[in-house]
Amino acid sequence: MFTARLADQFLLFVVPLVVYQTTQSVSLSGLAYAVETLPRVLFYPVCGVLADRYAPLRLMQVSQIGRALICVLGLIGFSLFGGLGWVVGVSALCGLLTTQGFMAREVMLPQIFAHARFEKVQSISQSVNQTSIVAGPLLAASLFAISDWQTVVVIAAILFVCAEISMMIWRRANRTPIVATDDRNASWIVPFKTAFSHLVYLPGLKRVIALTASVNLIFGVTLATSAAMVTGLYAQSEEHYALLQTVGAVFTIVVLMMAGASRLSIGMIGLVSFSGVLIGGIVTAISPDYWLYMVGFAIVLGFDGMFNIYIRTVRQKIIPAKDYGKTTGVIILFNNLTQPLAGVLVGLTTSVAQTGGLILGLCIVTALGGLLLSLPRLFARTTG
């Protein structure tokens, strides 16, 4: 997981930076972010069905080897034809297989750690993920400083291969049964009907989806504008952009470890993390310089990671195990549609100076949405 996520971070780091440096356009940088993230989001329901129908380990293998091949083919295409589309295309296509690997891992974790406290499992999983985010931008920026983006993509391909080798070694030492829960020959309509039925009728799912979508709106606009804000508005170097990502990831690890070690209820984890993302978004919107912006950015990333513990634990408690992949895939589609939407909204801005107002406006919308979603529960407690 660490090695594959490290390679993902290489690709996520290089796309907005290359696009902005080449075009000097914050709107094109935002649109590139939308193009990069939209395929990942739209593919979640299909990946969820596949994760229930096929052996998750085999899907992980396809994901990792496939991403390595896409990196190689993308570089060959760039060397023959040139153009920025190749770096965006490589990241977008790899994103589809990243989604497949993510869904396979989501199905695997409850089977591997069936008797563990799931909040702690998710805390450790998120910490590994964030450790890769610490190392990724730092290593990618170092490579970018001495070479070009093509080198970053080559190293990403090598890391994907290393991830596959690591998983093969792990499987030799761990024989926990990991099985598909659905008939692979059944109709494709049935799992989607089941997933949407759970979405409508299982108590609590719609509220959690709406809260997550609002958090992802702030998270998405923060990521979509970070390269332009640092290198454009604050006139800092690529190294400062890598430092921003690294500080954010380190803070996220600290928050995740504290959440995993604490005895906070899952509801309190949700409340604290939602509030933290809001506060971080407001700080990034009003920051007059790079250093205060870094503080807000770190808060957004840190508490978004904590919110992921909340959402994944709640999902695992509500959704039946046999339908976990297909239902989670559909839920994540709705959760994450706001991330490419954030990229599109950034694309509508005419200058980097307008991004602060956009972020502040989205924070206000998110705060109002969170309040409205919480009122029925508060009213029920009061009347009860």
Side-chain angles (χ1 to χ4, degrees):
M1 176 183 175
F2 169 76
T3 315
R5 291 296 294 138
L6 187 65
D8 284 331
Q9 288 305 310
F10 274 40
L11 299 178
L12 287 172
F13 174 87
V14 79
V15 170
L17 195 58
V18 169
V19 171
Y20 184 74
Q21 284 191 339
T22 304
T23 65
Q24 293 298 304
S25 169
V26 64
S27 62
L28 288 178
S29 181
L31 289 174
Y33 178 81
V35 171
E36 181 185 14
T37 55
L38 188 59
R40 301 177 183 229
V41 174
L42 294 179
F43 207 51
Y44 270 114
V46 176
C47 291
V49 174
L50 291 173
D52 281 343
R53 289 190 168 201
Y54 295 92
L57 280 172
R58 179 56 56 87
L59 293 175
M60 291 284 288
Q61 289 177 326
V62 171
S63 170
Q64 287 159 179
I65 297 300
R67 280 178 281 179
L69 289 174
I70 288 170
C71 288
V72 173
L73 293 174
L75 289 172
I76 293 172
F78 176 78
S79 66
L80 293 176
F81 304 105
L84 275 179
W86 288 102
V87 64
V88 178
V90 164
S91 186
L93 290 174
C94 284
L96 297 179
L97 292 176
T98 296
T99 299
Q100 185 62 80
F102 171 83
M103 289 308 307
R105 190 164 58 244
E106 286 291 289
V107 172
M108 286 168 58
L109 284 177
Q111 296 187 41
I112 298 170
F113 302 105
H115 303 294
R117 180 170 167 253
F118 205 65
E119 295 95 314
K120 186 173 183 180
V121 173
Q122 286 295 343
S123 175
I124 295 171
S125 174
Q126 288 292 302
S127 297
V128 172
N129 179 55
Q130 291 302 319
T131 302
S132 69
I133 295 176
V134 172
L138 188 61
L139 294 174
S142 301
L143 287 170
F144 202 73
I146 61 176
S147 187
D148 48 29
W149 68 263
Q150 295 95 313
T151 303
V152 178
V153 175
V154 168
I155 300 300
I158 294 171
L159 288 172
F160 285 130
V161 174
C162 291
E164 173 59 23
I165 294 171
S166 299
M167 195 176 71
M168 291 171 62
I169 295 171
W170 167 79
R171 191 55 182 163
R172 285 181 178 273
N174 189 305
R175 289 295 175 183
T176 303
I178 303 172
V179 297
T181 57
D182 267 3
D183 179 10
R184 70 177 64 181
N185 298 316
S187 168
W188 272 78
I189 298 175
V190 173
F192 288 113
K193 288 177 65 176
T194 301
F196 279 101
S197 175
H198 288 330
L199 189 68
V200 173
Y201 296 111
L202 286 179
L205 270 187
K206 292 188 292 294
R207 174 181 172 274
V208 170
I209 290 169
L211 286 172
T212 308
S214 61
V215 167
N216 282 338
L217 193 60
I218 297 178
F219 181 74
V221 78
T222 301
L223 291 185
T225 58
S226 59
M229 293 284 278
V230 172
T231 61
L233 185 64
Y234 301 123
Q236 301 295 323
S237 65
E238 295 87 352
E239 287 76 16
H240 281 85
Y241 180 57
L243 177 64
L244 176 84
Q245 301 282 345
T246 303
V247 169
V250 169
F251 182 72
T252 303
I253 293 172
V254 173
V255 171
L256 290 171
M257 297 305 289
M258 291 175 63
S262 73
R263 290 295 174 182
L264 292 175
S265 67
I266 193 61
M268 186 58 66
I269 288 175
L271 176 62
V272 170
S273 56
F274 185 87
S275 303
V277 171
L278 272 178
I279 293 169
I282 292 170
V283 172
T284 61
I286 64 175
S287 59
D289 57 40
Y290 166 77
W291 300 106
L292 186 58
Y293 177 82
M294 177 188 288
V295 172
F297 183 89
I299 293 173
V300 170
L301 261 65
F303 285 98
D304 179 77
M306 186 178 182
F307 191 82
N308 281 333
I309 295 175
Y310 166 73
I311 181 64
R312 291 176 181 178
T313 303
V314 170
R315 283 201 308 250
Q316 195 266 341
K317 289 181 177 179
I318 295 175
I319 301 170
K322 64 184 179 65
D323 300 324
Y324 191 74
K326 63 179 75 72
T327 308
T328 299
V330 172
I331 288 173
I332 294 176
L333 168 65
F334 289 108
N335 285 349
N336 290 336
L337 277 175
T338 47
Q339 285 198 38
L341 173 62
V344 171
L345 291 174
V346 174
L348 296 176
T349 59
T350 57
S351 71
V352 70
Q354 295 179 351
T355 55
L358 174 63
I359 295 171
L360 186 60
L362 293 178
C363 287
I364 294 171
V365 170
T366 299
L368 292 174
L371 181 62
L372 289 173
L373 290 166
S374 300
L375 282 179
R377 300 187 73 180
L378 293 173
F379 181 75
R381 288 180 184 177
T382 302
T383 54

